[in-house]
Amino acid sequence: MRSKNIYVLFLIVWSLGMVACKNWDDRLVSPSESLGKNLFEQISTQGNLSTFKDLLIKTGYDKVLGSSINYTVFAPSNDALNGLSTTILNDTAQLKAFVGNHIALMSHNVPVSDAASESLQMVNGKYYTLSKTNLGSATIASANAFASNGVLHTLSQPIAVLPSLWKYISANQTGSAQNTAIANLTFQVFNASKATIDSISATTGQPIYRPGTGFETVNAFTQNVYDLNLESKQYTYFQLRDASFLAEVEKLKPYFKTSTTDSTYRQSAFATIKDLVFEGNYTIDQIPSVLKSKFGVNVTIDKSSISQTVKVSNGVVYVLDKITVIPTEKFPTLVVEGENFVERMPVSIGSAVIAVRNRLNPVTNLTSNSVSVIGHGNAGFWLRYQLNDVPSIKYKVYWVVINDLYNTNTAVAEAATFNINQKLAMASLSSTTFAYPTAALPVKNYTEQLLGEYTVNSFGNLNMYLVANGTNAMSLDYIKLVPSF
């Protein structure tokens, strides 16, 4: 009798548990005989997914979901697809992108926790966040129907295929000087992997490429700032209306003077735009009053001037009338290390003449490399340094020269130092901006020395030459150019 009572009690507890599980989440579907069906077969058995099934067949994804590879399908219900645009339905490429927008790589169950989420890559390259209740902005109506090659979830709304931020900029140039300026930041580079090889040089052994092949167009913004076509990242882009954008560009033109009006505008526009894109997807409420750009520039956003918000697949666009950027913040201090020379006087010298030394600077308590040139035997021997894309402004020029070169290891070594006597010639070897010192540079001076001021008259590359006074030794830790406004 006692055993019978225990059995009855067990049945009651089990029944309550089943009811509780059902009430806990009606959307979860337990695996059963469905494990014998692949995803396409599983979809085909559900009447409320017949429209999506037809779209799978029309785009060829029925064969994809019938394969042995695992996928996760987020199938919009028939009701959800009632209003699907005929433009999408009648365009093969758009329809395939739309259907692919609902199929994720590998198997993914919905998270159990309300706080949990994961980023899923869809087969069309887009990314969406999967939570317990949503995929992106679409509500999950039913979840976790298992198939032999993945998992099926049902959505109450379809997910529109949004353009990437880069495609938005490319498609919205009319009426936007800013978008046009970004799109026009293109140049050609040579890509050997895309070139046709005609022959191999008998002299050098290097390929000889067919003229006109291997060149491709790239964009300076995607190369040097952010690749806005990258779907795995999220960006916030502030698009200024023309009057505000052109005013910001005008502020920068004096610092980007070139030989032509067009190139000056191009460089000034790039310098403006590179500080208007930020990594991360900020809602309006999340935008701080001041954002720091990738290049360390503080940008003050006037949220009250935002007149339009555009969602893109990898971020958000805010169209606005006003930002505040202090132009001088865009110009950092420039430093070139002594060991990073790009050319030397083309004469025959011994292998031990030029050396890179690692020294502890007792002033900063940091170790650093410096270059030394000893016994070169050539009057006016020089090393050339180059800084690229230097703005047309005035700089204070400093250097650190560590004169601790000894020609003996005796106890009186300090009385036997090499004489270091050199100058820095700006832009050309014949420059007289900075003169040779009247005597050898001080021994063991580890502090920065101000050479004077130098004005860069046009934007571009700046050459600097470290030049020996006669056949004297030379040494250099670094050169520093500090903007002087």
Side-chain angles (χ1 to χ4, degrees):
M1 184 68 179
R2 184 170 180 272
S3 298
K4 183 178 180 181
N5 290 340
I6 291 174
Y7 178 71
V8 171
L9 180 61
F10 170 77
L11 287 177
I12 293 171
V13 172
W14 181 83
S15 299
L16 291 173
M18 292 300 99
V19 172
C21 286
K22 187 175 188 305
N23 291 337
W24 176 256
D25 194 344
D26 286 334
R27 298 177 308 115
L28 300 180
V29 180
S30 299
S32 58
E33 71 279 357
S34 62
L35 288 175
K37 299 184 179 72
N38 61 45
L39 281 165
F40 180 69
E41 291 169 338
Q42 179 79 309
I43 292 167
S44 299
T45 64
Q46 300 191 29
N48 67 326
L49 301 181
S50 60
T51 303
F52 188 68
K53 181 197 77 171
D54 293 340
L55 297 183
L56 291 172
I57 295 170
K58 190 173 181 180
T59 56
Y61 275 116
D62 58 327
K63 296 179 179 61
V64 173
L65 299 183
S67 71
S68 59
I69 300 173
N70 280 10
Y71 293 98
T72 301
V73 179
F74 297 87
S77 66
N78 291 346
D79 289 341
L81 292 173
N82 273 340
L84 187 61
S85 167
T86 55
T87 302
I88 295 174
L89 289 170
N90 296 328
D91 185 298
T92 302
Q94 287 193 56
L95 183 59
K96 189 160 188 176
F98 174 79
V99 175
N101 211 38
H102 296 81
I103 304 172
L105 304 170
M106 301 186 293
S107 297
H108 302 274
N109 297 342
V110 295
V112 175
S113 167
D114 291 334
S117 65
E118 64 173 314
S119 179
L120 304 188
Q121 183 182 14
M122 317 310 283
V123 294
N124 67 351
K126 303 295 181 180
Y127 284 77
Y128 297 102
T129 299
L130 174 63
S131 68
K132 185 178 180 181
T133 58
N134 290 79
L135 177 70
S137 59
T139 303
I140 297 173
S142 64
N144 297 352
F146 301 99
S148 61
N149 62 340
V151 186
L152 171 64
H153 312 288
T154 304
L155 299 180
S156 298
Q157 304 91 25
I159 305 174
V161 182
L162 298 176
S164 69
L165 179 50
W166 182 252
K167 287 185 177 177
Y168 165 84
I169 290 170
S170 300
N172 289 274
Q173 296 180 51
T174 302
S176 174
Q178 180 175 324
N179 290 346
T180 301
I182 293 182
N184 287 342
L185 290 170
T186 56
F187 60 98
Q188 289 220 312
V189 296
F190 178 73
N191 184 343
S193 67
K194 295 184 177 181
T196 301
I197 299 175
D198 277 339
S199 60
I200 302 297
S201 170
T203 304
T204 65
Q206 297 299 311
I208 297 175
Y209 297 102
R210 183 172 300 170
T213 67
F215 289 94
E216 60 184 2
T217 301
V218 297
N219 187 278
F221 192 94
T222 59
Q223 293 274 305
N224 302 311
V225 187
Y226 293 117
D227 182 356
L228 303 182
N229 208 33
L230 194 62
E231 294 284 356
S232 59
K233 295 281 191 178
Q234 291 284 305
Y235 303 100
T236 299
Y237 175 59
F238 294 96
Q239 178 184 320
L240 290 170
R241 295 197 180 277
D242 281 2
S244 299
F245 174 72
L246 295 174
E248 292 297 319
V249 172
E250 200 64 30
K251 293 176 188 176
L252 296 182
K253 282 184 178 179
Y255 307 109
F256 293 95
K257 289 183 290 187
T258 67
S259 58
T260 69
T261 301
D262 286 347
S263 60
T264 297
Y265 173 81
R266 183 184 176 95
Q267 295 297 338
S268 303
F270 175 74
T272 300
I273 299 163
K274 70 184 179 65
D275 295 314
L276 296 178
V277 183
F278 301 84
E279 199 164 346
N281 189 336
Y282 291 90
T283 66
I284 288 183
D285 291 340
Q286 292 172 334
I287 300 172
S289 58
V290 178
L291 281 165
K292 189 176 288 293
S293 77
K294 177 181 179 178
F295 302 95
V297 175
N298 292 316
V299 180
T300 302
I301 305 297
D302 183 355
K303 290 194 283 188
S304 66
S305 75
I306 294 175
S307 56
Q308 186 180 358
T309 301
V310 181
K311 185 74 179 73
V312 291
S313 62
N314 57 346
V316 63
V317 177
Y318 294 111
V319 180
L320 73 170
D321 297 309
K322 185 180 178 183
I323 61 164
T324 301
V325 180
I326 300 173
T328 54
E329 283 195 12
K330 289 180 175 282
F331 306 106
T333 293
L334 306 176
V335 177
V336 60
E337 300 293 339
E339 67 274 16
N340 292 336
F341 57 92
V342 296
E343 187 185 9
R344 66 170 179 81
M345 187 179 189
V347 294
S348 178
I349 56 174
S351 60
V353 169
I354 302 177
V356 176
R357 306 175 304 139
N358 187 268
R359 289 287 191 270
L360 174 68
N361 187 324
V363 175
T364 63
N365 204 33
L366 299 173
T367 58
S368 64
N369 290 331
S370 63
V371 68
S372 64
V373 185
I374 304 170
H376 51 84
N378 294 275
F381 186 84
W382 51 262
L383 302 176
R384 180 171 70 87
Y385 298 88
Q386 181 173 296
L387 285 168
N388 298 326
D389 299 332
V390 180
S392 48
I393 57 179
K394 182 187 291 185
Y395 291 94
K396 291 183 182 297
V397 182
Y398 300 82
W399 70 10
V400 172
V401 176
I402 302 174
N403 186 1
D404 58 357
L405 305 175
Y406 305 134
N407 58 14
T408 177
N409 292 322
T410 66
V412 291
E414 291 195 24
T417 57
F418 286 97
N419 285 332
I420 293 181
N421 196 301
Q422 62 193 28
K423 73 172 183 177
L424 189 63
M426 306 298 290
S428 72
L429 274 167
S430 60
S431 169
T432 58
T433 302
F434 307 126
Y436 288 115
T438 55
L441 295 173
V443 176
K444 289 188 174 181
N445 183 359
Y446 296 91
T447 59
E448 286 184 354
Q449 302 169 59
L450 174 64
L451 298 179
E453 291 188 334
Y454 177 76
T455 299
V456 178
N457 292 315
S458 61
F459 173 81
N461 297 337
L462 174 64
N463 287 311
M464 298 176 290
Y465 298 82
L466 188 69
V467 188
N469 189 354
T471 59
N472 280 293
M474 299 192 299
S475 177
L476 182 65
D477 187 356
Y478 62 82
I479 304 165
K480 179 185 288 186
L481 279 67
V482 180
S484 177
F485 297 101

